[in-house]
């Protein structure tokens, strides 16, 4: 009976609007239970052993669902889960309408000709990102894939330069896990730093803003920042050797 | 007066909701449902924030039925079980099913074909006044729902009560 069921979802997805084809997942937008919905489908990886693949894919789906609920409970904005199909590894999520990824927002802001330096325009956003990650880490959620593509910025009601109006939503928790270790949180920040600086050139000062805001918002930030420094150093040593 | 929604994943199945107020025969209805004489889920509307909450429960029930993984014995008990944040079936019935003293009831049907006869049968059995399903929020016991689903104040700052309830229902198997 199981294969038959998976067909229900895949038949549905065929008609859906594919937003993104990734290495691990396909993301669709469609109407589900009468609402605009984002459907994230983790598909099998042919090069992996089928049983191992099934296990890993299932684990990612479970991790994503769990962390979303844990974050929401703590007041950290993530999309509402509407339905999960554990046989086809599909998560049906609230569509964050009128949003852009933080990545796209930074890119377009940097391209716009500004009267002043870009940093000033993006500083409140960087501060907000730092604050939200601090809150997440204080709940012992380690994201595992912090990039500016995995943060959505609601554009409705958005006023440039007014941090209070910034509404951020964290997404893509497939690699997340629960940990209280400063080391794990430090690595989380390190991953973000790498991704941030390589995606957005000349944003070192902006990223410093983000870290400063993180440090100010998290109750346990000093141990995490210390670990971040250590991880950076290790990274540098490794690249000197390699 | 009633609302019907064809399930996107299972287009042959349509979920219909009917709301009744001033119901005088809850005890009789509950008995009939238990004996299988009423083929529908009889839900306590005080525990429902919005008809979307019921659609989420019904979709999950139909899905689990189709893969043979229901936790309860029937589709209608499964809908009631899915509404509950707990994994205890009798607890789910106590909170989300109707009690003998209730004076309102939300009837939920899942039908494959023409349902007009079934609707007429149900309406006949309920001694009460049918009102639009859109009136559900006027019956919602918000305090009770917050308590039962353990909704936190921080959570209500980032979304609606419906968001909190639906997310718990959808994630309860793994949380
Ligand atoms: N709930 C949502 N609302 C609106 N847009 C979304 C939502 N979820 C995802 N998206 C869009 O789809 C894109 C991809 O989503 P997501 O990051 O979850 O998948 P992914 O990167 O393919 O996953 P993975 O990293 O596991 O391969 C996002 O960058 C965003 O543009
Ligand atoms: Mg992503």
């Amino acid at each position: 009976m199981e294969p038959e069921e998976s067909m229900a979802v895949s038949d549905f997805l065929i008609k859906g609007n594919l937003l993104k084809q990734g290495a691990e997942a396909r993301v669709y937008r469609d109407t589900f239970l009468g609402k605009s919905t984002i459907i994230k489908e983790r598909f099998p990886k042919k090069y992996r052993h089928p049983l191992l693949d099934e296990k890993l894919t299932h684990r990612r789906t479970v991790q994503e669902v769990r962390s979303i609920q844990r974050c929401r409970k703590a007041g950290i904005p993530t999309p509402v889960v509407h339905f999960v199909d554990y046989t086809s590894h599909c998560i049906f999520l609230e569509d964050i309408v009128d949003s852009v990824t933080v990545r796209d927002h930074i890119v377009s802001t940097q391209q716009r000709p500004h009267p002043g330096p870009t940093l000033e325009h993006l500083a409140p956003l960087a501060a907000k990102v730092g604050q939200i990650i601090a809150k997440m880490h204080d709940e012992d959620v380690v994201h595992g894939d912090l990039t500016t593509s995995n943060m959505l910025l609601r554009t409705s009601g958005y006023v440039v330069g007014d941090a209070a109006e910034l509404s951020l939503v964290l997404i893509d928790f497939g690699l997340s896990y629960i940990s209280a270790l400063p080391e794990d949180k430090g690595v989380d920040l390190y991953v973000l730093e790498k991704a941030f600086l390589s995606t957005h050139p000349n944003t070192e000062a902006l990223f410093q803003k983000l870290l400063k805001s993180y440090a100010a918002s998290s109750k346990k930030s000093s141990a995490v920042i210390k670990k971040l420094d250590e991880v950076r150093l290790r990274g540098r040593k490794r690249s000197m050797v390699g | 007066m009633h609302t019907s929604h064809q399930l996107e994943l299972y287009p042959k199945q349509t979920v219909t909701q009917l709301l009744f107020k001033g119901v005088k025969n809850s005890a009789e209805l509950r008995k009939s449902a238990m004996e299988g004489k009423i083929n529908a889920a009889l839900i306590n509307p005080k525990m429902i924030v919005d008809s979307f909450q019921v659609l989420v429960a019904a979709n999950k029930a139909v899905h689990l039925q189709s893969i043979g993984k229901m936790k309860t014995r029937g589709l209608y008990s499964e809908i009631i079980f899915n509404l509950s944040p707990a994994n205890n079936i009798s607890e789910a019935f106590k909170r989300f099913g109707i009690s003998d003293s209730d004076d309102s009831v939300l009837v939920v049907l899942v039908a494959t074909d023409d349902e007009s006869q079934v609707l007429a049968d149900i309406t006949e059995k309920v001694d009460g006044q049918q009102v639009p399903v859109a009136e559900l929020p006027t019956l919602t016991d918000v305090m009770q729902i917050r308590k039962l689903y353990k909704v936190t104040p921080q959570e209500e700052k980032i979304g609606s009560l419906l968001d909190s309830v639906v997310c718990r229902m959808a994630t309860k198997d793994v949380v």
Side-chain angles (χ1 to χ4, degrees):
Chain A
M1 241 172 130
E2 258 172 63
E4 210 176 302
E5 191 291 323
S6 295
M7 291 306 293
V9 174
S10 48
D11 283 354
F12 172 70
L13 291 180
I14 284 170
K15 293 170 267 158
N17 181 8
L18 184 67
L19 289 186
K20 193 193 162 200
Q21 164 83 58
E24 297 264 335
R26 279 185 282 264
V27 176
Y28 301 83
R29 176 177 280 127
D30 208 336
T31 301
F32 172 69
L33 304 181
K35 291 188 201 276
S36 180
T37 305
I38 296 290
I39 303 121
K40 185 164 177 177
E41 177 194 35
R42 290 196 161 80
F43 47 80
K45 302 262 240 173
K46 300 287 182 226
Y47 58 81
R48 271 200 303 242
H49 185 281
L51 273 179
L52 175 70
D53 182 63
E54 173 74 22
K55 233 178 155 164
L56 281 176
T57 310
H58 180 75
R59 191 187 300 161
R60 297 229 160 126
T61 304
V62 169
Q63 274 162 339
E64 179 143 34
V65 166
R66 264 192 202 139
S67 293
I68 286 177
Q69 177 55 20
R70 190 176 174 113
C71 282
R72 290 192 61 83
K73 224 172 149 175
I76 301 153
T78 56
V80 177
V81 181
H82 290 170
F83 173 58
V84 188
D85 177 3
Y86 295 100
T87 60
S88 63
H89 311 292
C90 286
I91 306 178
F92 292 65
L93 296 159
E94 168 196 8
D95 184 6
I96 307 299
V97 288
D98 293 330
S99 69
V100 290
T101 63
V102 167
R103 178 200 169 119
D104 289 350
H105 179 73
I106 294 178
V107 168
S108 66
T109 306
Q110 282 193 311
Q111 280 167 356
R112 237 183 286 149
H114 277 298
T118 315
L119 174 64
E120 260 170 54
H121 290 267
L122 293 170
L125 174 63
K128 185 82 191 180
V129 172
Q131 189 195 325
I132 218 163
I133 296 170
K135 206 166 170 187
M136 181 184 77
H137 280 176
D138 279 351
E139 292 301 319
D140 292 338
V141 175
V142 176
H143 186 281
D145 190 18
L146 281 178
T147 64
T148 50
S149 301
N150 289 336
M151 302 164 189
L152 302 179
L153 179 63
R154 290 188 208 261
T155 49
S156 45
Y158 175 65
V159 183
V160 177
D162 187 353
E165 296 290 324
L166 286 177
S167 171
L168 271 184
V169 181
L170 295 181
I171 60 166
D172 203 354
F173 285 84
L175 295 174
S176 68
Y177 58 99
I178 306 301
S179 168
L181 295 179
E183 164 106 33
D184 291 335
K185 296 171 188 175
V187 171
D188 220 19
L189 290 180
Y190 183 67
V191 167
L192 177 63
E193 183 174 63
K194 284 266 178 193
F196 200 105
L197 299 180
S198 67
T199 319
H200 310 293
N202 309 315
T203 54
E204 284 77 9
L206 192 64
F207 194 77
Q208 282 313 309
K209 280 257 177 213
L210 189 159
L211 283 183
K212 239 178 109 181
S213 160
Y214 176 93
S217 314
S218 165
K219 294 168 220 146
K220 311 157 192 164
S221 62
S222 57
V224 177
I225 298 292
K226 207 173 134 219
K227 285 292 174 189
L228 170 63
D229 289 336
E230 282 177 32
V231 177
R232 276 190 193 131
L233 208 61
R234 254 186 270 155
R236 223 167 289 141
K237 276 193 193 137
R238 205 175 300 130
S239 65
M240 281 194 294
V241 174
Chain B
M1 208 81 93
H2 66 270
T3 66
S4 283
H5 185 87
Q6 185 184 18
L7 291 178
E8 292 87 348
L9 296 181
Y10 303 91
K12 286 182 193 139
Q13 311 268 15
T14 295
V15 180
T16 300
Q17 304 182 43
L18 304 91
L19 183 61
F20 297 88
K21 286 205 306 204
V23 177
K24 292 184 190 75
N25 61 338
S26 288
E28 187 191 328
L29 290 172
R30 197 174 72 89
K31 192 158 166 279
S32 302
M34 269 163 49
E35 288 166 352
K37 286 182 195 147
I38 292 181
N39 227 338
L42 303 180
I43 293 167
N44 173 7
K46 293 193 195 73
M47 299 307 292
I48 303 300
V49 184
D50 186 283
S51 57
F52 182 71
Q53 184 185 350
V54 175
L55 287 184
V56 168
N59 172 75
K60 187 172 171 185
V62 170
H63 165 73
L64 291 178
Q65 185 181 47
S66 82
I67 61 169
K69 284 196 175 158
M70 286 203 298
K71 302 259 169 60
T72 66
R73 283 209 247 146
L75 187 66
Y76 293 118
S77 54
E78 194 73 12
I79 292 175
I80 289 175
F81 178 70
N82 290 344
L83 286 168
S84 171
N87 274 311
N88 180 312
I89 294 165
S90 60
E91 173 74 12
F93 268 90
K94 207 170 105 197
R95 304 288 180 188
F96 294 88
I98 56 161
S99 312
D100 293 352
S101 59
D102 285 347
D103 58 3
S104 59
V105 60
L106 178 69
V107 179
V108 179
L109 294 161
V110 180
T112 38
D113 39 33
D114 183 43
E115 57 192 6
S116 51
Q117 190 52 48
V118 194
L119 287 191
D121 286 351
I122 294 269
T123 312
E124 176 131 336
K125 282 182 180 132
V126 181
D127 180 7
Q129 175 204 358
Q130 193 181 357
V131 296
V133 176
E135 280 187 32
L136 263 176
T138 66
L139 298 172
T140 310
D141 186 341
V142 172
M143 298 298 266
Q144 185 70 28
I145 288 177
R146 281 197 183 117
K147 203 172 129 198
L148 190 72
Y149 286 95
K150 299 193 177 80
V151 176
T152 65
Q154 305 95 283
E155 203 175 341
E156 286 197 73
K157 283 192 196 133
I158 57 159
S160 63
L161 183 62
L162 179 64
D163 289 341
S164 298
V165 164
V166 161
C167 203
R168 268 184 183 62
M169 286 166 51
T171 61
K172 85 168 186 183
D173 311 271
V174 295
V175 170

